[in-house]
């Protein structure tokens, strides 16, 4: 079974897409063709969108799912003319919220991903720069400013996790790769010792690590299963020996790794 | 006026938080204290959460807003016992969707940000590595593999935008900084010429550029308003001369810059 799903917004489309993906992931039996249409902010664009939706409905032989977060009533009304099955997120929730909050909503377009919270936005961009500057143990003198320092072997997921934490939450995340040399001793590397309370370990299944490294440096010792297995076992022992919290990244997305670390450590997003 | 808002999830909390921020941004008159609680996946955790919500309700003297995306009925029912004003996203939309799709939802927890779409997830991580490898014009020989190449002066927003496009959409975004030297000639730098169709310009208000650069290198020529003004004027002329599409990043968030570029160029996310 196949159905088309449209995520439509007068802004970036991120809210519509995020909610749409969450809802549709609950229907595993159905294969969805997902189409995100951002910046549908005029009646004319809505009219063109209705044509696209109707074409999909006819091609599928079933109504398309249409999830929208459009604020403007005229644009939303135009969109309602399609043959799709419409889930109108804002009108569903804004009316009861207005009642509860005893105030009218401002019905303004695309607020949430615009730079309304300048402070918070600046923290996010600063944190991206921090993550880049403090990637791969390059500038350990900035660890004083870090909210968290991820440690683990090469290619276990440190860098994407740091960048995600920075972009999404404005968290200053540094990372330090534990190399063969670091793993020779049961001590933590000296640069890390005074930041012990900020350290969080990442580990990974050795088979997956070998596969990831193999893409980077095919047939190298670095990518061999023996080497990966050795590094992972040693690093996990190091985490345990020093009582460092750690997470196995193998079956988790960067969203899950990041939010689990935050929930576990109690680190808060910056700029709030 | 102040109200507390809880965004509660049995998974990462990203959907609840994204939707919650969108909805509440429509109520500008009210200042919200926002609290995201992810991984509330047992009745016991829900019970503790109810206590937190009730404490906030009492402190505010008004019911807290409670937006949740909890799938499990027992956990959700426990949460419903709080004194907060509950917006139950999944039960609101899943029932009508089940009817329309003529199938039951799987009611499984935290699917959407788990690695269910392995292919798409891998593209995202690969794209992050691509963005890092191709940041700041470092490795122009990989431009063949790029989906897009952002060009602009130093610190106009190229790197965070590339990383966001990679993390959120799996797009391979490289960037090339146009330096003083590049700006001496009305020609495009040679490495860019054969990728003309992939180029997208970023520009920025000179005052904002000077402020950003000043944080990086205080009181340098690089950060002076004269220099920033010269670079921005020259780069905009270059974009116009070569008919390159470009966007002024001054008042846009990286979400907006990214999605506007995608909407304009028609670049699709990878791994779909």
């Amino acid at each position: 079974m196949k159905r088309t799903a449209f995520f439509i917004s007068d802004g970036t489309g991120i809210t519509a897409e995020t909610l749409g993906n969450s809802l549709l992931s609950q229907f595993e039996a159905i294969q969805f063709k997902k189409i995100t249409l951002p910046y549908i902010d005029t009646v004319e664009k809505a009219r063109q969108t209705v044509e696209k939706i109707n074409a999909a409905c006819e091609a599928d032989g079933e109504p398309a799912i249409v999830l929208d977060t459009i604020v403007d009533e005229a644009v939303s009304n135009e969109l309602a003319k399609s043959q799709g099955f419409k889930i109108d997120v804002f009108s569903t929730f804004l009316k009861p919220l207005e009642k509860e909050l005893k105030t009218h909503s401002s019905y303004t377009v695309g607020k949430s991903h615009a730079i309304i919270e300048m402070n918070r936005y600046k923290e996010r961009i600063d944190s991206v720069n921090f993550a880049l500057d403090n990637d791969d143990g390059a500038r350990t003198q900035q660890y004083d400013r870090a909210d968290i320092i991820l440690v683990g072997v090469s290619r276990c997921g440190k860098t994407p996790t740091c960048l995600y934490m920075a972009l999404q939450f404005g968290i200053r995340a540094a990372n330090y790769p534990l190399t063969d040399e670091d793993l020779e001793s049961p001590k933590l590397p000296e640069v890390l010792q005074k930041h012990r309370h900020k350290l969080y370990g990442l580990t990974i299944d050795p088979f997956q690590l070998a596969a990831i490294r193999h893409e980077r440096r095919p047939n190298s010792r670095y990518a061999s299963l023996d080497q990966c297995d050795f590094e992972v076992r040693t690093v996990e022992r190091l985490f345990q020996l020093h009582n460092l919290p750690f997470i196995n990244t193998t079956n988790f997305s960067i969203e899950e790794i990041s939010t689990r670390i935050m929930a576990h450590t109690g680190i808060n997003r910056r700029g709030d």
Side-chain angles (χ1 to χ4, degrees), chain A:
Chain A
M1 260 187 85
K2 215 185 136 177
R3 294 283 280 260
T4 308
F6 288 88
F7 306 143
I8 301 172
S9 166
D10 40 19
T12 63
I14 291 167
T15 302
E17 188 172 296
T18 304
L19 178 59
N21 280 325
S22 279
L23 289 171
L24 298 188
S25 71
Q26 295 293 323
F27 297 92
E28 289 173 282
I30 299 170
Q31 207 197 329
F32 292 99
K33 186 186 174 195
K34 300 170 188 168
I35 298 169
T36 303
L37 300 175
Y39 304 109
I40 305 300
D41 49 10
T42 64
V43 172
E44 179 49 33
K45 286 188 194 168
R47 204 169 287 147
Q48 292 162 6
T49 304
V50 168
E51 281 172 30
K52 281 184 202 168
I53 297 169
N54 289 348
C57 296
E58 271 159 50
D60 293 353
E62 300 262 21
I65 306 299
V66 177
L67 185 145
D68 82 277
T69 57
I70 287 175
V71 173
D72 184 90
E73 224 168 312
V75 179
S76 183
N77 287 343
E78 186 61 37
L79 202 62
K81 294 178 186 167
S82 89
Q83 295 156 32
F85 177 79
K86 196 162 180 282
I87 295 180
D88 186 339
V89 178
F90 276 17
S91 74
T92 304
F93 291 133
L94 282 183
K95 286 270 173 274
L97 266 174
E98 285 184 337
K99 213 173 147 196
E100 171 60 31
L101 297 169
K102 297 176 202 78
T103 175
H104 285 287
S105 65
S106 46
Y107 284 100
T108 29
V109 169
K111 287 248 156 185
S112 59
H113 296 97
I115 314 181
I116 29 165
E117 299 173 69
M118 200 56 208
N119 203 25
R120 186 162 175 177
Y121 183 70
K122 200 179 163 308
E123 289 289 356
R124 288 173 56 207
I125 299 300
D126 285 352
S127 295
V128 170
N129 291 324
F130 183 87
L132 292 172
D133 287 346
N134 292 278
D135 188 37
D136 251 9
R139 275 203 231 174
T140 56
Q141 73 271 29
Q142 293 197 11
Y143 282 2
D144 285 333
R145 292 173 53 222
D147 296 318
I148 193 159
I149 304 164
L150 302 186
V151 293
V153 302
S154 168
R155 295 283 141 182
C156 68
K158 299 183 299 301
T159 299
T161 304
C162 284
L163 288 170
Y164 187 80
M165 285 181 148
L167 272 170
Q168 184 80 11
F169 302 116
I171 289 172
R172 297 231 168 87
N175 77 75
Y176 183 94
L178 292 163
T179 60
D180 264 10
E181 207 178 313
D182 295 321
L183 297 176
E184 272 169 20
S185 151
K187 283 188 191 163
L188 286 173
E190 212 180 311
V191 285
L192 298 181
Q193 284 176 20
K194 64 172 168 177
H195 303 288
R196 235 197 120 283
H197 60 291
K198 291 185 185 180
L199 304 182
Y200 207 102
L202 299 190
T203 185
I204 187 172
D205 170 70
F207 287 93
Q208 188 169 323
L209 182 62
I212 293 168
R213 288 185 174 184
H214 192 77
E215 278 192 30
R216 203 76 177 174
R217 287 195 226 153
N219 304 314
S220 60
R221 176 174 162 273
Y222 168 79
S224 70
L225 186 56
D226 270 2
Q227 175 67 16
C228 291
D229 190 53
F230 161 76
E231 288 185 31
V232 167
R233 270 186 298 123
T234 315
V235 93
E236 288 183 0
R237 215 157 42 214
L238 194 74
F239 295 156
Q240 280 154 354
L241 188 66
H242 295 278
N243 240 326
L244 297 187
F246 67 99
I247 184 169
N248 188 320
T249 65
T250 311
N251 297 308
F252 289 142
S253 66
I254 42 174
E255 284 86 347
E256 288 173 297
I257 301 166
S258 303
T259 51
R260 280 173 191 274
I261 292 174
M262 287 165 69
H264 186 208
T265 58
I267 292 177
N268 280 318
R269 55 212 76 199
R270 276 176 179 256
D272 269 1

